[in-house]
Amino acid sequence: METRADSPAVTVGRRRRRWVGVLVWGLVAPFAVWAVLRLVPADVHFRWVQLVAFTPYAALASAIAPIAALVSRRWTALVVSLAVSVSLAVCVLPRAFPSGEAAPDGPSLRVLSSNLLVGSVPASALVDLVRKLRPDVLTVQELTPQAASALNKAGLARLLPYRTERPRPGVGGSAIYARHPVTPGQAIEVGGFGQAEATVDVPGAGPVGVVSVHPCAPARPDRHRCWAEGLAALPPPGRTPRVLAGDFNATLDHAPVRELLAEGYADAADATGDGFVTTWPYRPWHFNGFGVPPVAIDHVLVGPGVGVRAFGVHPVPETDHRAVFAELVLPRVG
């Protein structure tokens, strides 16, 4: 029985279709892996901790895969890629829409937070921002002894007379300044980073717990545990209002922050539909020769019962972080 060999044109066509299929699936696979890892309730590896911060960018780029599958008529790849894109969109798109939750009828609390980049921010610039925004609470990170002294000389004490300061050389210092009386708490000490904690007595609302958040940055494998433990040590929401404000070195896609949200905290930017507003790096920043696209690692998280009226970010000189500002509404007591 004789069989007729395929013509060279048919053979070339089959090879071309096979390679197109390989290329399409090669495009789908990375986004599929990203979506699966993002849904895992843990940060599975140090490198993933660094990558997951860019999930909004991955969600946007994932739209390329179903387009390629549709054009090449790879129907299975189209179904899979659409499922991947939808999964990533579900993870990030809600941040662009206000939560719609009604704020409680109570006193307001205006919160400002700024990373000073090892005390590099000119004290006068930060004090001018305080005068402009009129926060009731200011949390700062990377507060050095010299920066603390400069802030006092620049007049911060006249605007926010109550405080708990824990300055130290390097990046581990922090502080909480307030318009209302402050009761200092025990700082959260992990890996040389002291996250200041205090209770602010707000008229009409009573005590409000505040933490100036700043775990170490997961820039190296040996800092991964320090970062995770620093976030895990943050207090859970309680019966009294609580605010966590600062440089989390983490986005809403990192597992430790997702755990805080699952416990009952809400992100102020997410609540107002500003969840895609980025805070770092404010200035160009490179890692291994590659430019780092900006992400949102500075947050104001609020406990149950605390409403969010407004959120914004503000540039501050000599730091790579934008300051974050939120106007909150507290439940009324008495």
Side-chain angles (χ1 to χ4, degrees):
M1 182 176 180
E2 295 183 357
T3 59
R4 186 175 61 182
D6 290 333
S7 67
V10 171
T11 301
V12 170
R14 287 177 176 173
R15 289 177 179 175
R16 183 180 294 112
R17 287 193 295 272
R18 187 160 50 244
W19 277 109
V20 169
V22 169
L23 291 174
V24 169
W25 279 108
L27 185 61
V28 173
F31 295 113
V33 171
W34 195 298
V36 169
L37 292 177
R38 170 57 179 79
L39 296 175
V40 171
D43 291 319
V44 296
H45 190 271
F46 163 69
R47 291 301 180 191
W48 177 241
V49 168
Q50 295 183 316
L51 286 174
V52 71
F54 305 104
T55 295
Y57 295 101
L60 181 62
S62 70
I64 299 172
I67 293 174
L70 179 63
V71 170
S72 62
R73 299 184 179 183
R74 294 300 189 272
W75 308 123
T76 303
L78 176 62
V79 172
V80 173
S81 60
L82 283 173
V84 167
S85 293
V86 169
S87 297
L88 291 172
V90 168
C91 290
V92 302
L93 271 183
R95 301 171 200 174
F97 302 96
S99 64
E101 295 183 7
D105 180 21
S108 67
L109 184 72
R110 300 163 68 87
V111 177
L112 176 66
S113 182
S114 179
N115 181 310
L116 305 184
L117 191 60
V118 200
S120 298
V121 171
S124 59
L126 185 59
V127 171
D128 286 345
L129 186 61
V130 169
R131 288 195 181 99
K132 174 184 175 182
L133 298 178
R134 297 177 292 105
D136 302 296
V137 173
L138 167 67
T139 71
V140 297
Q141 302 83 47
E142 301 196 21
L143 178 71
T144 62
Q146 296 82 1
S149 176
L151 287 172
N152 184 55
K153 293 178 181 177
L156 183 62
R158 291 191 295 272
L159 301 171
L160 301 172
Y162 303 97
R163 69 188 62 194
T164 174
E165 285 182 325
R166 298 188 179 274
R168 62 182 60 176
V171 298
S174 66
I176 299 170
Y177 302 93
R179 191 179 306 278
H180 311 299
V182 166
T183 301
Q186 184 68 40
I188 301 170
E189 294 282 352
V190 178
F193 285 69
Q195 302 180 87
E197 186 172 10
T199 300
V200 181
D201 190 9
V202 180
V208 177
V210 179
V211 179
S212 179
V213 179
H214 191 213
C216 64
R220 306 189 309 268
D222 62 320
R223 305 300 278 173
H224 182 197
R225 175 174 292 184
C226 167
W227 169 80
E229 291 178 350
L231 289 171
L234 294 173
R239 298 182 62 181
T240 59
R242 190 178 297 280
V243 178
L244 311 179
D247 172 12
F248 284 65
N249 277 315
T251 71
L252 299 185
D253 293 298
H254 284 98
V257 176
R258 285 152 53 195
E259 290 175 9
L260 289 169
L261 299 178
E263 289 176 350
Y265 282 109
D267 179 75
D270 185 32
T272 58
D274 298 303
F276 289 139
V277 175
T278 60
T279 65
W280 177 91
Y282 172 58
R283 300 182 302 183
W285 202 85
H286 293 81
F287 180 76
N288 289 340
F290 295 95
V292 176
V295 293
I297 63 174
D298 302 85
H299 306 277
V300 177
L301 300 190
V302 300
V306 180
V308 182
R309 183 172 290 153
F311 176 84
V313 298
H314 300 269
V316 181
E318 304 302 327
T319 180
D320 51 355
H321 290 255
R322 290 176 174 175
V324 292
F325 174 78
E327 184 176 354
L328 313 177
V329 184
L330 303 174
R332 189 181 301 278
V333 298

